[in-house]
Amino acid sequence: MTTMMNEAETGSPGAVMPGASSVAAPKSSRARQFWKTLLSRKTVMVSLAVLIIAMLTALLAPLIAPYEPNAPDLRNALKPPSSDHWLGTDALGRDVLSRIIYGSRVSLAVGFVSVAIAGSIGMMLGLVAGYVGGKTESVIMRCIDVMMSIPLIILALFIAALIGKGLGNVMLAIGLGMMPSYARLTRGQVKSVKQLDYVTAGVISGTGRIRNMFKHILPNCLSPIIVLMTMNLGMAILTEASLSFLGLGINPPTASWGAMISDGYNHLRTLPLLSLAPGVAIILVVLAFNVVGDALRDTLDPRLRGAL
Amino acid sequence: GGKSSDSASSSGGSSAGTSETSGGNAQSGGDAQSGGGKSGESVLRVALPLNPRIIGYPAEVTNNGPLPFLDPVVQSLLHFDEKGNHVPWLAESWETDAEAATITFKLKQGVKFHDGTDFNAEAVKWNIEQYIENKRTETENIASMEVIDDHTLLIRLKDWNSSSLEAIGFFVRHVSPTAVQANGKEWAYTNPVGTGPFLLDQWNMNVSVTYKKNPDYWEPGEPKVDRIELLIIEDANTAASALRVGEVDLIQAGNVDLADELIKSGEFDYVLQKNGIGAVGVGLIPDSVTEGSPFADVRVRKAMAHAIDEVALAETFGKGYWETTNQWGSREAYTFNPEVEGFPYDPEKAKQLLAEAGYPNGFKTKLFSGLNTKDVFTAIQSYLAQVGIDAELIVVDEAQVQSLYFSTWEGGLMGHFHSVQPDLGLYMFRHLDPNGAFYAKGIIHPEDVLELLRENQKAPNMQVKTETSHKLQKLVYDEYAIVGKPLYIPMGIFIKQKYVKDDGFGVTHNAFWTPDNVWLDK
Amino acid sequence: MGHLLEVHELETEFRKDDSFLKAVNKVSYTLEEGEIVAFVGESGSGKSVTQYSGLQLIEMPPGRIAGGQVLFEGEDLLKHKQNSKEIRSVRGGKIGVVFQEPMTSLNPVMTVGRQIEESVMLHLNMNRKQARQRAIELLTQVGIPDAESRVDDYPHQFSGGMRQRIMIAMAMSCNPKILIADEATTALDVTTQAQILELLRDMVKKTGTSLVLVTHNLGIVARYADRIYVMYAGEIVESGTCRDIFNNPRHPYTIGLLRAVPSLSDPKERRLVPIEGVTPDLRYRTGVCAFAPRCMYATEACFTEPSPKLRDVPGEDRHQTACHRDVDKSTVPVKQTVEAVRKLKDPRELVRQDVILEIRDLKVSYPILKGILRRKAGELAAVDGVSFKIHRGETFGLVGESGCGKSTLARTVMGLIEPTAGSILFRGNEWHQMPEKQKRSLRRDITMIFQDPYGSLDPRQRAGDIVGEPLRNFKLVKSEKEYQERVSELFRLVGLDPSLQNRMPHEFSGGQRQRLGIARAIATNPAFIVCDEAISALDVSIQAQIINLLEDLQEELGLTYLFIAHDLTVVRHISDRIAVMYLGQIVEIADWKSLYDNPLHPYTQALLEAVPIPDPEREAKRERKLISGEVPSLINRPVGCAFSNRCPLATDECRQGVPRLRPVRESHSVACFKVDAP
Amino acid sequence: MVTFIIRRVLQTIVVILLVTVLVFSIMHLMPGDPVLMFLGPDASVEQIDHYKKQFGLDLPLPVQYFKWAGNLFKGEFGDSLVYRQDIGPLILAKLKVTLTIAIPAFVIAVTIGMFLGIMAAIYRGRWADSFITVLANIGMATPTFWLSILCVYIFSLTLGWLPVQGFTFPSEDFALAVRRMVLPVSMLALGPMAVFARQTRSAMLEIIRQDFIRTGRSKGLGERRVIYVHALRNALIPVVTVMGMQLGYMLGGSVLIEQVFVIPGMGSMLITAILNKDYQLVQSAVLVIAGGISLCNLLVDIAYGYIDPRIRIS
Ligand SMILES: Nc1ncnc2c1ncn2[C@@H]1O[C@H](COP(=O)(O)OP(=O)(O)OP(=O)(O)O)[C@@H](O)[C@H]1O
Ligand SMILES: Nc1ncnc2c1ncn2[C@@H]1O[C@H](COP(=O)(O)OP(=O)(O)OP(=O)(O)O)[C@@H](O)[C@H]1O
Ligand SMILES: [Mg+2]
Ligand SMILES: [Mg+2]
């Protein structure tokens, strides 16, 4: 889609390991600079490592998980940690560790998909509003205002209650709930980028309207949007957890960290690990996303470069 | 007829995020949150997971849950003893005549409402009329009423029905007609003017209802405590914690695990309500009507029932506080038919039945669960999977549960939440009646069953009633498996500090206690 | 000998990633009481850091003062901690600073009065009331009218020039011993610049304060400075009295600087001599002369011997240079890249060429949006009744101070803004009446070079794609191969290595970027190019390169330029005919010679008088009549002649009627009632 | 200024009306029937019809909406199905509770958050900065409901320092109220506090690098004055924007906190109402919340004017 994304794609697999960035040697020195700056801080390295681990865990869950995550074993319910079940078992006798491993799939999927939904819809709306302006802009932005005047969790709660539970619906609910901020951000970006000299230069060079929009305006609006996306990954995961806690998350028996916290709630006194462990998992992943988002902002947003 | 307890599925599991969020405990000034009240006043604090919406206008109290909030202030003509027998309360005695289809209540004398007006036959009649006006099922069988004298009321029924005495006697509660008429219905919602041992002191919506002693109570020497505070704590965990740290004296435990923990600690007294009166039984009911539903075949219904090990479920999730049964109602009820074979856990048989029905490789279906039955139903899902029934588990909220059982449930399975009270003619009929509101649209209605039900309703005496009841159990479960698999009946669990005596919680009807008798042995 | 300030071997460095950037490298200098000393050098040469190091005003970290002494009245300021009491009492109290950006140097959310009071109360131990009195006094001194009522205004309520006056008032508020003016006038219009400099000089002369003028403009210092330090790459390369430096510069860099800038006194055919190459990366100091790679006089030895130390120039007092060789203006350079003279166009010849662009009575207005509601409250005529013709092959200069509507005019000519009235004829066709399609094809012939070399290149496109974009858009190439060839050719034309095509814009220096912009502009073989402040953002040494490039391209490709700038010397150098703009109107049009030799409009005269000449002798002789007042904004344009409120000649006639532009001589028109036709 | 406020209020009203339409549509599209919820599992068909009529739920949807909206203009919200009460006073009571928690939480979040942010900015690159930054990140990454549970477990159940649950107005019993509010208030404050800390930090860093800060230092002002007088006020502008958004978040975030700590506020009422399909109550509550958020945004805009004279004048 953009240079930025391409870099992220080409660079990401190898560049996470310390020193690997130079081995992977991205094409342009800009990319190299990007990764160098990004990885210059230890926290970022650690966070990327956490994310890679989380993603690998999600991908390889069937290979890693010691037990089938959804198979009840009623005779073995609510067992404290042991050598068989490192984190114990839940009320249905399911292995908590395995469920946390499988739960990473849900959390990451919720994060990525809902952010993708929010980003794509929000960006399109914002782009149209910012570029076309006038009445169209007013109408779109009023609708965005409407959505923004309802807190995310309540909006998501509504949408979830409307379209029902289930992974897909939860992702849609969170995605739609987060969408307005993308529309706003994109519109603002478009409006400011629109009047920059290089966009004018594009017009003078005979570039058509639509082409100009996608070639010169959109790519230059992306950095803050990408930053917002990384930050929102964590927020989406947290929101899913909240929805699950309120009982409006995904359907059982699928394991989700939020639902696991909720399930473990009643056993807090006897088996605190039941809700502690998934809570820690959430914190780690969300934290990692936030740190990476922060770092991305530093590297991508020149106004903030050096500020953080 | 009476009402089963509040929301069907709120009896098991955690209540975080269920139908109702709980209120906090905003006590009025001065009170510390532990034990005793101020300056020698004895105060009883009870945590209940239910939220009353109306206390003072019983005709619109449409479910059983809030009844404990009425007990201190608003009373009825009769109540139950420990075995479920009717005992007098505001009525001194009553007579029933099956032939003539009449009930005659003789009222206690000298009873006054809190506003000082007399409690008499006119008042009772007025109160019953309010119920009729609100289309309450309890009073739908009443043809007319006649005030014989100040303390005698004659009620003529449309048809003789053995349940009507209980319906009118226990479920109709009485408030001062004068007060309601003077101030209006809306006022009455929050201002109960009854005959009870306590007066409403303060009602903090969603938080607590507090009562103070009625000095002019009609029973001498009662009540024994000065104040009662009923705290609305829906969250089982919080309630348990509150009991543990002494913020409350008694709780109705909403969660088995927490209750078990408290009871095992040995620090508390507890009462298990075993007779199931007022309890909500949970079963698994198949939609046998929707087109294409495999459950239209009785063999599939039976196979489904055989596939599930309800004993293991009760053990794991009920921890001994759930009773299992193979028919409608508890094993202790007179309607219990020991000859019913039921569907003991037998996966092989289930598979065989499925094969016979033409599903040797099983089939796909849906399994709807409320929020609170989530864990149990998750286990059930895996039992079903073992015999080849691939059920997609769909957890729906309370409202959706209700709209499902108000229509059909997509050819799948859902929880069968039913009042386990013994009167089958009343309770079972509600679901099996082709025009019934709940579950009726998703199940078959065999003529022989309906015939038996009618017979049961009209039973002139206990013997007929029992006989027809036993026949019904056999037919509905063993023969047709109409309402599928009975799973468990949760016992009401009441846990209290050791000094709380004679509270009556869990002794008779689930929603009934004795605020007039309770005392604190401190 | 007790100097007021004596800096000895000062070293300041910044941590950048893993290495240290030595911004100031063993700099020593002195400052006497009552003296005006100038620091000159190109951007990044360390002038500011040198000044701030003593006050410890640099960012620490990443900055670090690595060594040296700064003796102020005999006491070493570096002994004290960064924000210690001792340092703080010197800052503001004994040494005041005026910064470059008047727009951002004042706290936007505090009234100017408070900002002055603050420092007065701190250093002079006055109470609030006294401080306020002092603030009003100071504001009056620096020429803020109505100081009494304006002390309670916020900075944004003042114009740029006034803010800079306020800064000066603030810096002078505690009677400092030294006043540092760091590029204090760079951001201002020529006329304002001159006013501020005069003010500064008057004030320091009156109070006996020493003034340090930091600037990259050699011209400015000629008139005001007593002594000059020339800095390059964090080192002082030459120092001496103003006269010595200008008359007898002894360091190749100083010589280069003087040759790179045009001057009003230059012969027109002088070709500018740019200092080729770029500033070295200060992170990688090699220990040899830092200027050697760019030096026209460098010998073998310059690249091997350790970098030269400052040494006295024999025979001249206090004149020092840091060069291995003994060069002066007459020394023959080792490498001579460009010839010293250029071909002059004959203005009479040019006028006979066809008219390529004609502007008739052009009017462009912006809506005035009022309040936070952004409702349209009126119109602001940024261009108001402008007419002129441009002939093929000529360079038409357009000068005027900031905000007078130059860019608006340029954008309208480019078809980016719809004119409110009037017409623009390009080769006889009415631009704005054309259908979109025809307009687009016309864009091949009329292109633009932008002011900001950073903002005009899409940061996410490769250099090659940027330059080649018009080629693809207008389908000017038939094959990929041809495209490649053409792009490479364009790179070569503007003096860039075609192998740089794959780089991103930010990997180029400012000058290189501007070359990219030019390459893009000439990609379609246009006939006409609008250069809107095309060189204003560049360093002097690079300015010369770009000016030469534009001149060469014109000759090679027969281009016509509309050259917009505010720098009159540059405009004089490059243009054939020149129009002077004031508040949206053209006040004078003439060929370059008659305009500069015989300016008729009082505004043009004032502009020319404000332009500094890099020659102290001539400056000393010049009798200056600076005009007073600020450039009014378009919204409160005076009725009658727009210049009437500042004009020394203004009469009631001027304040009532608007003078029309009328020809007074051959190819010389002016809009003024007071100018008589000969 | 006045015209600005009027215009903004009008805009807000339009937005809010749209909000009500949206919420109304969503509520009615949701599966479930409020009367069934209200009557419970054993209701008869007649009873259901009786109540549907009583609550006007038998009318066509647009009629229902306009009836509700019409009442709104008369200043009436109608009756709640769940609570069987007039919605106006009900919401007012709940709002009082929520604000009793949210306002102290907000104040704490702002003061501590900004203080931490300033500290981090001043000591940027040192350990204090890293510590605060990491802390803020963790604060933002932690699910509040989870932390609340954990804190109840630690402080109430294990240590017995604080009450488990409940809510008391400070006016009723101050000591008890404070003890009860410690946990919910700090939990609610945590997330926003982290956000403020981060925002303040980056705003301060941005401002600290600006020319007028250098001017301040060049005048010999003390670091304290430079930071707290010159930088902070300028840094407030972006921070205030975030404040507006966080106030909105707090209304949403209180949903979970109220759930865990059994606080009878707007959040718990809203969930009850949504789950019970109490149409009018949900509509009214969301209306109030949306109105509150819009009001916050308006306040933020007005605050800009006070902080930044550039905006004030134009
Ligand atoms: N805060 C800083 N951090 C890092 N490097 C800096 C900092 N301030 C200055 N420098 C570097 O120090 C060198 C000298 O900067 P300085 O500001 O003194 O130049 P200057 O001669 O004043 O230039 P200009 O004319 O642009 O103001 C430059 O290379 C600059 O990049
Ligand atoms: N888009 C716009 N909307 C409203 N007013 C504008 C707009 N662009 C410019 N102006 C105003 O029009 C006037 C002329 O602006 P213009 O940019 O043409 O001036 P300029 O001579 O190019 O100045 P500079 O030398 O600062 O670039 C200014 O007063 C400016 O404030
Ligand atoms: Mg500088
Ligand atoms: Mg301009």
Side-chain angles (χ1 to χ4, degrees), chain C residues 42-49 52 100 182-183 214-215, chain D residues 214:
Chain C
E42 64 189 7
S43 180
S45 56
K47 307 178 297 285
S48 306
V49 174
Y52 301 148
Q100 168 168 10
D182 183 6
E183 312 260 10
V214 177
T215 177
Chain D
R214 194 178 53 181

Side-chain angles (χ1 to χ4, degrees), chain C residues 366 380-383 403-405 582-585 631-638:
Chain C
Y366 294 110
L380 176 149
V383 174
C404 69
Y582 187 73
L583 289 189
Q585 288 160 340
V631 189
S633 78
L634 284 175
I635 303 172
N636 44 28
R637 184 202 319 249

Side-chain angles (χ1 to χ4, degrees), chain D residues 2 41 112 136 215 218 229 273 297:
Chain D
V2 176
I112 300 186
T215 306
S218 80
V229 177
N297 288 334

Side-chain angles (χ1 to χ4, degrees), chain C residues 366-367 380 382 401-408 451 533 634:
Chain C
Y366 294 110
L380 176 149
E401 292 180 289
S402 175
C404 69
K406 304 183 299 283
S407 297
T408 307
Q451 164 166 16
E533 309 262 15
L634 284 175

